[in-house]
Amino acid sequence: MTANREWLASKHGLDSTDTITLDLNLFTEGVHFETAEDCDPYGRVFSGVPVARVKESGLYGPYDPEATCGRQVLRGFVVAEVPVAPGQTRVPAALLWHGAVKASKVPGGIDVSQLSWHPRAALVRFV
């Protein structure tokens, strides 16, 4: 299966992504990822999911402007689909931390009016 990257507005930033670790316990099935089905042994985290860093663990979870654990600061977007084995709770991913994003195409959605400036926030232009 090919990753859906409709959320990307340009290729800018794809050449300098960061490696992060996702904590799948924080993500919502059907919104941020899907589990394995039929003959495919792996599920997948969707490309384009907005993520933020959890202060206590240093792991990444879905961005949530209402959170108080660090996830209220958008750090970027999962660049490519991430395969997930059954029972796996932590997976590495590539983080797009600067570039251009189509807000209307972000998996799970993103309300750009709720974003606030932070020195460690993603440097993203929304179109």
Side-chain angles (χ1 to χ4, degrees), residues 32-106:
H32 305 117
F33 74 97
E34 65 183 15
T35 56
E37 58 183 45
D38 299 327
C39 296
D40 190 353
Y42 295 99
R44 64 188 176 113
V45 175
F46 302 128
S47 171
V49 170
V51 293
R53 188 173 181 269
V54 178
K55 288 178 194 173
E56 189 173 304
S57 68
L59 302 174
Y60 284 71
Y63 163 73
D64 178 357
E66 303 298 320
T68 59
C69 62
R71 291 192 302 127
Q72 70 275 17
V73 177
L74 177 69
R75 292 293 186 100
F77 298 84
V78 175
V79 173
E81 286 184 350
V82 179
V84 179
Q88 191 173 11
T89 60
R90 294 182 179 178
V91 294
L95 176 73
L96 178 79
W97 59 272
H98 75 284
V101 171
K102 297 176 189 172
S104 64
K105 301 288 185 175
V106 170

